[in-house]
Amino acid sequence: MLTSTKLLPKRKLILLTAVFLLILTGIRLLWNYELRVPDHPEPLAGVVDLRGWQFDDSKTITLNGEWEFYPNTFLTPGTHQHKPKPITAVVPGIWDHVTGTGSSIGFGTYRLTVLLDPSDQMYGIRVPSIQTASRLYVNGQELGVMGRPSVTKEESKARNVPYSVFFRSDKPEVEILIHVSNFDLPTTGGIIQSLRFGTDTAVTREAFFSENLQFIVCIVIALHGVYAAILYYLGVRGRELFYFVGIVVTVLLAVLTDDDKLLLQWVPIGLEWSTRLRVLAYMACGVSLFFWVKTFTGTRTSWFTRGYAWANVLFTIVIVLVPMEWIKQTASFILVSVMIVTVITELRLMVTAIYRREITAVFLLLSVAAVSANRVWGTLKGRFWPDLLFYPFDLIIAFLGLASFWFVRFAQMNKQAEQLAEQLQKADKIKDDFLANTSHELRNPLHGMLNMAHAVRSEAHSELGPEHKNRMDLLIQVGQRMSLQLDDLLDAARLKEQELHLVKKSVSFSAAASGVIDMLRVANNSSQADVQLHIPDRFPYVIADENRLVQIIFNLLQEALRVTQQGAIVLEGSLREGMAAFRIYSPTVDWEEVKCSDEAELNNDLQLRMNICRQLIELHGGTFKVITGEADACEIAFSLRADFSRFENRLGSDVSIDSEFEPWDSDEGEIGAVLAEQEAAVTAETRARHRILAVDDDPINLKVLGSILGGEDYQLVTATSGKEALDHLEQGEWDLVISDVMMPQMSGYELTRTIRRQFSLSELPVLLLTARSRQEDIQAGFLSGANDYLTKPVGGIELKSRVKALIDLKESISERLRMEAAWLQAQIQPHFLFNTLNSIASLSETDTSRMVILLEEFGNYLRTSFDARNLQRLVPISHELQLLRSYLYIEQERFGNRLKVVWEVPEPLSVEIPPLSIQPLAENAVRHGILQRARGGTLTIRITEHPQEVAIVIKDDGVGMDQATLLSVRGDGSTSQRRGVGVQNTDRRLKRLYGRGLEISSIPDQGTTVAFSVPK
């Protein structure tokens, strides 16, 4: 329902609605005036005289008037020796009065003679709607067809989609013949909308303008569907959202199936189902709007609503099932009925909005007014002005109003939610403040009481009798318990406010547990229960806050001692799925008392303490649960993250490694097997030796990095200065640079900036290490181009994790580049394919031997283009040259003497190069360099072997490039539209592999040279 706190006067609402409708009407009238058809000669008796008419490239004229019509006859274009006597037919118009049958069923020929001034002007005709099939001839030549017109219903195929034809005539008379047949719609046939005539530019521009307007409206409407989907994702599940989606979908269908029928141009839907779809879209739009408005106005479901819903279900069945011959009359009745009911609903909304004077209803009111105006004008257009172009603003304004309503309503609800949340937060804060203040206020007097009790107990030890001593001990125990409970209350408040911060590090669990057990033994020397610690030798450390870990162990063991009168309490550890798992159990403990969960009420100090332990363990990334076993025996089980880089080094019990919490039997060999399996998995995952460049002016730091990252996984190369590091970068491909920030001569920031001039963030990741952790230092590192930033001292596991993540990122980007290169090659341009096939077809008639060779080369070109080796990192150069030779042979056959190729390639060559690195460069030289000249040119492929490398040169004497174009091709220009995607891809892959990319030089009108080198 509509909710608002802001009211508007009734008069203002009425005035606002009236002014809004006047503005919409004024905009539409101005639109129609600007797009009106200029006064022009009209056809009379089948002839229109346009001699002396000045055609405008911005506007077309209509061919409305008297045409010759030949009923039940298809005139043969160009021959009219025995043509029957024509009948005059008014175009546009339904032809039932000229068919001779009194019905629109039939076929015939429309004929019009156009008198034009002699010129070489290209003309066009736009055919918006002819029912139900047509074929258009100009001067005896067939230029367009829609459907399949025929003299019988069986051979005819109905389809009605706007189309355009274009022609040039050197004759003073232009004859237009249109064959039309209609065997589907008994009440509507013939040319029912005006044919547009003008220059080819005017016709194309007008069609383009109309279609794009409809496309823009569809985009605007679809965006509203997107934000409806976002609202659904955010949790809005009301009926109004689904009704709104129904409005969006049906309006989209209505727009796409009317006017220029964009949907029918994209999807080959026949006339019958396109008509049904359009009618259903308009009907469903009204129904969705009806129920959407009903939902927001809060109208209760009545007999009228139910009847309306069932009536629309019946209408839908009728529209789907009735024969095509009846659908026109049926659809008209149904749409009028739905429109009347929808208008009544809209009037109800207006009255409701005026009565309630709610600000949110204003947006609905204006949207409904825009929809109503669109419906009224749409009806008038269909009846009286069918030639008007598509008008977009009513629907756009209507949906903008709906969007405004959604956003205002969401803002109101959000504001109400914030107010409620603020009130709840205040109440919760008052409660937490009370607990915290009470805890603080009670702590001091409580400690004073405990100190006095200890003093009395110690000073008067000899004077107190046994009964008094027991009472004094009981007083001290109660006070200590109260102190612990106050600490728990403070921790609970901090956990609830998320103010408790953990300082996690690698901690020995056995050491912490041993200290707690010793402390408990001293504090509970009268207890007959014994705590046993079963932590195995070589047990890994845990990642935890040491103080909080001690608190967890202390609370759990203390509660176990409190409920255990005698016997053993066992704290046992094991490894489970990479976690350190622990359990506390005793045969004599009834753990049902300590069960706790998120829903548990904190009705005693035990449950409060258990919940604090659970939350602390979960903050550490672990789990906590109470397990009930056989004979109602219970135990506490919890887990923490294990640090496999550090292990216990003490004698102790064995350890078991299981996938579940039970059984708990241990075996010393299992932990070794698991650790060995994990190490083997890590080694296998990173077996490929990645090259890492470590830069630090301190040799000791470099040795530490070598000890962490050395071995089988990485090939670590060190440098003691930024200049030395840059020299290393020129020698092959690198996967990662790890650099210290504070270095003499060239800092890590400057080194990173220098690297970024040649390599992007994904091409060569940079990890900075420094002892400075201020925000300004971290910001400077990222601004200089670093991928990641670590502060010293750095843990080995964290460093390895960061290194692996950055190298994985770089590898994924490299794989994407190889895929991109293969994809670019696989996207063979259609014109190249068609032209090659045309060349083959031409040679089949003149020179079959050349045709056979061309077919072989074309097949080789396709086979090599789609070869799976193109996805590899390197391929033999012979593979690349094979593709290049096939491509150039095809181009030489196509262009003949315009393309000459000079091969300077020694044989044999055994070097490997990146796939698809030469052919794209040669193709660019041919297409954009040589063939841009009318006389063509020469392409030179030169490969030169040197002792350490092989130089490859692609040179042409084409049109060359200026400096701006050269920068754009390289991809480092400032122009918004870059060119040379294949060149940029090749350049990036070469830089990744060898540290050097393409060398491009070009002189306008002289040619371009592209060169690169690969090591042997």
Side-chain angles (χ1 to χ4, degrees):
M1 294 179 61
L2 299 172
T3 58
S4 179
T5 58
K6 211 169 185 181
L7 301 179
L8 291 178
K10 297 179 182 179
R11 291 182 179 179
K12 280 190 176 181
L13 279 173
I14 298 173
L15 181 61
L16 178 63
T17 305
V19 171
F20 182 71
L21 288 173
L22 288 176
I23 291 175
L24 288 180
T25 304
I27 295 175
R28 182 180 282 270
L29 292 176
L30 180 61
W31 175 270
N32 294 339
Y33 178 78
E34 288 295 327
L35 299 179
R36 71 190 185 282
V37 178
D39 295 334
H40 60 280
E42 295 184 353
L44 294 174
V47 179
V48 59
D49 189 355
L50 297 179
R51 290 174 296 187
W53 176 259
Q54 297 297 324
F55 287 95
D56 188 355
D57 284 343
S58 61
K59 287 188 177 182
T60 62
I61 63 175
T62 62
L63 297 179
N64 296 349
E66 298 177 353
W67 286 49
E68 293 181 0
F69 181 70
Y70 300 87
N72 302 320
T73 301
F74 281 162
L75 293 183
T76 302
T79 59
H80 311 302
Q81 288 81 0
H82 303 289
K83 65 181 179 181
K85 185 177 180 179
I87 301 174
T88 300
V90 178
V91 173
I94 300 175
W95 67 1
D96 52 358
H97 61 285
V98 295
T99 57
T101 62
S103 169
S104 292
I105 300 297
F107 64 97
T109 303
Y110 287 91
R111 181 175 181 270
L112 178 67
T113 301
V114 182
L115 304 181
L116 298 171
D117 294 324
S119 69
D120 60 349
Q121 173 68 50
M122 177 72 76
Y123 297 98
I125 301 175
R126 178 68 173 175
V127 181
S129 179
I130 297 180
Q131 300 287 23
T132 56
S134 62
R135 181 179 288 109
L136 191 147
Y137 299 88
V138 176
N139 290 339
Q141 181 180 2
E142 179 183 335
L143 296 183
V145 63
M146 183 55 57
R148 185 171 61 242
S150 179
V151 298
T152 62
K153 180 177 181 179
E154 291 74 16
E155 297 179 357
S156 177
K157 179 181 179 181
R159 182 170 171 79
N160 184 12
V161 178
Y163 64 97
S164 301
V165 299
F166 303 95
F167 64 92
R168 179 182 282 111
S169 177
D170 54 358
K171 301 178 181 179
E173 293 185 2
V174 175
E175 181 191 50
I176 301 175
L177 289 181
I178 305 179
H179 292 175
V180 180
S181 67
N182 173 34
F183 296 98
D184 299 275
L185 302 176
T187 60
T188 305
I191 303 175
I192 61 174
Q193 281 188 237
S194 300
L195 273 64
R196 299 274 181 163
F197 182 79
T199 64
D200 59 332
T201 302
V203 172
T204 303
R205 180 178 297 176
E206 192 172 274
F208 180 80
F209 179 70
S210 178
E211 291 175 355
N212 277 273
L213 282 178
Q214 295 167 64
F215 189 67
I216 291 172
V217 169
C218 291
I219 291 176
V220 173
I221 296 173
L223 288 176
H224 289 75
V226 170
Y227 77 66
I230 294 174
L231 289 175
Y232 181 85
Y233 176 77
L234 293 177
V236 180
R237 300 290 191 273
R239 292 183 179 180
E240 64 274 11
L241 184 65
F242 294 98
Y243 293 143
F244 180 76
V245 172
I247 295 173
V248 170
V249 173
T250 53
V251 172
L252 275 175
L253 286 176
V255 173
L256 291 174
T257 55
D258 210 345
D259 289 286
D260 287 304
K261 302 178 177 65
L262 297 179
L263 181 63
L264 306 185
Q265 297 182 28
W266 303 333
V267 182
I269 304 176
L271 177 66
E272 178 178 349
W273 281 105
S274 65
T275 304
R276 297 181 195 274
L277 182 62
R278 182 168 65 254
V279 174
L280 290 175
Y282 277 109
M283 185 185 70
C285 178
V287 174
S288 299
L289 182 61
F290 172 86
F291 284 102
W292 189 74
V293 171
K294 173 186 172 297
T295 302
F296 276 115
T297 55
T299 307
R300 294 182 179 179
T301 302
S302 62
W303 63 268
F304 175 79
T305 305
R306 296 189 187 95
Y308 179 73
W310 282 108
N312 280 280
V313 172
L314 178 61
F315 290 162
T316 302
I317 296 173
V318 170
I319 292 298
V320 173
L321 298 181
V322 297
M324 184 63 180
E325 293 80 6
W326 299 352
I327 196 170
K328 189 72 174 178
Q329 298 89 333
T330 307
S332 299
F333 170 76
I334 291 175
L335 291 180
V336 170
S337 303
V338 173
M339 182 177 178
I340 292 174
V341 176
T342 305
V343 169
I344 294 174
T345 307
E346 293 166 357
L347 291 175
R348 180 195 299 175
L349 173 63
M350 294 179 186
V351 173
T352 304
I354 294 173
Y355 176 75
R356 294 183 179 179
R357 299 181 294 162
E358 295 169 338
I359 187 64
T360 51
V362 174
F363 297 104
L364 287 180
L365 181 62
L366 299 182
S367 298
V368 169
V371 172
S372 301
N374 182 266
R375 286 174 171 270
V376 172
W377 278 101
T379 304
L380 294 176
K381 174 186 174 183
R383 289 286 183 180
F384 305 105
W385 305 298
D387 300 328
L388 292 178
L389 292 180
F390 177 76
Y391 179 75
F393 298 110
D394 285 348
L395 291 177
I396 292 177
I397 293 173
F399 273 88
L400 288 178
L402 295 179
S404 302
F405 168 78
W406 277 107
F407 290 132
V408 171
R409 187 170 182 266
F410 180 79
Q412 291 176 348
M413 295 178 63
N414 187 54
K415 186 176 180 180
Q416 293 177 358
E418 288 179 353
Q419 292 174 350
L420 292 175
E422 186 177 354
Q423 295 174 4
L424 290 174
Q425 288 174 355
K426 287 181 179 179
D428 192 60
K429 189 175 186 306
I430 291 173
K431 182 201 69 174
D432 292 339
D433 290 343
F434 172 77
L435 289 175
N437 293 333
T438 302
S439 300
H440 282 292
E441 294 298 329
L442 289 177
R443 183 183 298 277
N444 291 332
L446 180 62
H447 284 183
M449 292 169 59
L450 287 173
N451 292 334
M452 292 179 64
H454 278 293
V456 171
R457 179 74 166 76
S458 60
E459 292 176 359
H461 184 272
S462 58
E463 300 178 4
L464 293 176
E467 183 179 354
H468 291 90
K469 286 191 290 185
N470 291 335
R471 291 178 179 177
M472 189 62 66
D473 290 338
L474 179 62
L475 174 64
I476 293 174
Q477 290 178 4
V478 172
Q480 290 174 342
R481 185 169 297 280
M482 285 189 63
S483 178
L484 292 174
Q485 192 165 13
L486 290 177
D487 293 337
D488 291 338
L489 287 173
L490 290 175
D491 285 340
R494 293 194 191 101
L495 287 169
K496 194 166 188 178
E497 295 295 330
Q498 297 182 352
E499 295 178 352
L500 195 148
H501 303 288
L502 302 179
V503 182
K504 296 180 182 180
K505 60 181 180 180
S506 186
V507 180
S508 170
F509 184 88
S510 63
S514 298
V516 171
I517 291 173
D518 291 340
M519 181 174 56
L520 288 173
R521 282 173 180 167
V522 174
N524 299 276
N525 52 9
S526 60
S527 175
Q528 298 181 5
D530 181 35
V531 180
Q532 300 178 3
L533 180 63
H534 292 176
I535 302 295
D537 189 24
R538 292 287 297 169
F539 192 80
Y541 280 34
V542 296
I543 305 297
D545 184 312
E546 187 172 7
N547 294 328
R548 295 299 175 181
L549 178 62
V550 171
Q551 178 184 356
I552 292 170
I553 300 173
F554 180 86
N555 286 345
L556 294 178
L557 290 179
Q558 188 182 46
E559 294 305 323
L561 286 170
R562 190 176 69 84
V563 297
T564 303
Q565 301 301 323
Q566 61 182 0
I569 299 174
V570 180
L571 172 57
E572 186 178 70
S574 64
L575 288 179
R576 305 234 172 140
E577 300 178 350
M579 300 286 287
F582 307 94
R583 71 168 183 160
I584 301 174
Y585 67 96
S586 175
T588 60
V589 175
D590 183 10
W591 287 101
E592 290 294 331
E593 183 184 358
V594 301
K595 281 189 177 181
C596 58
S597 64
D598 291 333
E599 294 80 15
E601 296 182 1
L602 306 182
N603 53 9
N604 56 54
D605 60 338
L606 175 61
Q607 289 185 348
L608 173 62
R609 193 162 299 165
M610 289 296 107
N611 274 279
I612 291 175
C613 290
R614 174 182 58 79
Q615 294 182 58
L616 287 175
I617 291 172
E618 291 175 351
L619 282 177
H620 283 82
T623 58
F624 178 88
K625 62 174 67 174
V626 176
I627 302 175
T628 302
E630 297 180 358
D632 294 330
C634 298
E635 61 190 36
I636 289 181
F638 63 96
S639 63
L640 296 169
R641 291 172 53 201
D643 181 5
F644 289 100
S645 65
R646 301 186 64 186
F647 293 87
E648 305 283 357
N649 188 14
R650 50 180 289 278
L651 295 177
S653 304
D654 296 335
V655 64
S656 64
I657 300 175
D658 303 300
S659 58
E660 301 293 335
F661 273 106
E662 48 191 36
W664 287 83
D665 297 332
S666 311
D667 188 350
E668 178 76 17
E670 292 186 12
I671 184 170
V674 169
L675 295 176
E677 182 178 349
Q678 291 179 347
E679 293 175 359
V682 173
T683 303
E685 182 180 358
T686 60
R687 190 171 299 277
R689 293 176 61 82
H690 299 287
R691 300 188 69 200
I692 300 177
L693 179 60
V695 190
D696 199 314
D697 59 328
D698 188 348
I700 296 179
N701 291 336
L702 294 177
K703 290 182 180 179
V704 172
L705 286 174
S707 64
I708 296 176
L709 300 176
E712 297 180 358
D713 300 341
Y714 304 108
Q715 178 187 353
L716 188 70
V717 178
T718 61
T720 56
S721 67
K723 184 178 182 301
E724 184 181 357
L726 294 176
D727 294 336
H728 282 299
L729 289 178
E730 296 295 331
Q731 303 172 7
E733 181 183 12
W734 297 90
D735 296 291
L736 177 65
V737 174
I738 303 176
S739 174
D740 186 25
V741 171
M742 308 304 293
M743 294 187 298
Q745 298 178 355
M746 179 182 288
S747 68
Y749 298 147
E750 185 178 355
L751 173 62
T752 305
R753 285 193 295 270
T754 305
I755 292 174
R756 286 292 164 257
R757 296 190 188 104
Q758 185 175 1
F759 302 95
S760 67
L761 286 168
S762 58
E763 290 173 344
L764 182 57
V766 176
L767 174 62
L768 292 181
L769 304 179
T770 182
R772 299 168 64 89
S773 58
R774 296 186 308 167
Q775 292 185 357
E776 295 83 356
D777 301 317
I778 297 176
Q779 183 183 21
F782 284 114
L783 291 177
S784 64
N787 295 73
D788 207 347
Y789 198 100
L790 283 178
T791 56
K792 299 177 182 179
V794 180
I797 291 182
E798 182 179 13
L799 178 61
K800 285 184 177 181
S801 300
R802 300 288 182 96
V803 168
K804 184 179 184 302
L806 292 173
I807 290 179
D808 288 346
L809 172 64
K810 193 255 184 188
E811 287 294 313
S812 66
I813 297 297
S814 299
E815 181 65 20
R816 183 187 65 80
L817 276 179
R818 290 195 292 270
M819 294 289 292
E820 176 184 317
W823 179 85
L824 288 173
Q825 181 62 25
Q827 306 305 305
I828 301 175
Q829 298 191 7
H831 74 83
F832 175 80
L833 182 63
F834 296 152
N835 292 335
T836 303
L837 293 174
N838 288 336
S839 299
I840 294 171
S842 176
L843 288 175
S844 67
E845 299 177 0
T846 59
D847 192 339
T848 56
S849 59
R850 288 172 58 194
M851 179 198 71
V852 172
I853 297 175
L854 182 57
L855 275 173
E856 292 177 353
E857 294 296 338
F858 184 56
N860 182 62
Y861 174 83
L862 293 177
R863 184 168 53 256
T864 311
S865 297
F866 299 116
D867 196 332
R869 286 182 293 179
N870 293 334
L871 299 177
Q872 296 178 359
R873 187 167 176 265
L874 296 173
V875 296
I877 194 173
S878 58
H879 173 79
E880 183 71 6
L881 291 177
Q882 181 182 7
L883 175 65
L884 178 61
R885 293 182 188 276
S886 297
Y887 168 77
L888 292 178
Y889 181 89
I890 294 171
E891 293 294 283
Q892 283 183 297
E893 283 293 334
R894 287 178 55 199
F895 299 103
N897 294 330
R898 289 186 61 198
L899 177 61
K900 300 180 180 62
V901 181
V902 177
W903 296 89
E904 298 179 8
V905 180
E907 295 287 346
L909 289 171
S910 59
V911 68
E912 289 189 333
I913 64 173
L916 306 173
S917 55
I918 302 179
Q919 191 274 336
L921 302 178
E923 183 176 352
N924 271 281
V926 172
R927 291 179 54 201
H928 302 296
I930 296 174
L931 296 181
Q932 297 300 316
R933 292 183 183 274
R935 58 180 174 82
T938 302
L939 176 68
T940 301
I941 309 296
R942 180 181 301 120
I943 301 179
T944 307
E945 282 193 273
H946 299 287
Q948 301 296 330
E949 61 183 15
V950 174
I952 302 170
V953 177
I954 299 93
K955 180 180 180 181
D956 68 84
D957 58 354
V959 296
M961 293 179 285
D962 55 18
Q963 189 64 22
T965 306
L966 186 59
L967 290 175
S968 176
V969 169
R970 286 175 173 169
D972 54 2
S974 59
T975 57
S976 60
Q977 183 178 4
R978 292 185 174 182
R979 303 167 56 189
V981 177
V983 175
Q984 296 173 24
N985 177 276
T986 303
D987 182 63
R988 291 199 301 267
R989 288 188 293 137
L990 290 172
K991 285 180 178 179
R992 275 192 170 87
L993 290 173
Y994 310 120
R996 293 176 296 174
L998 297 175
E999 298 176 4
I1000 306 175
S1001 60
S1002 183
I1003 302 176
D1005 297 325
Q1006 294 188 24
T1008 303
T1009 300
V1010 182
F1012 64 94
S1013 300
V1014 295
K1016 286 188 174 180

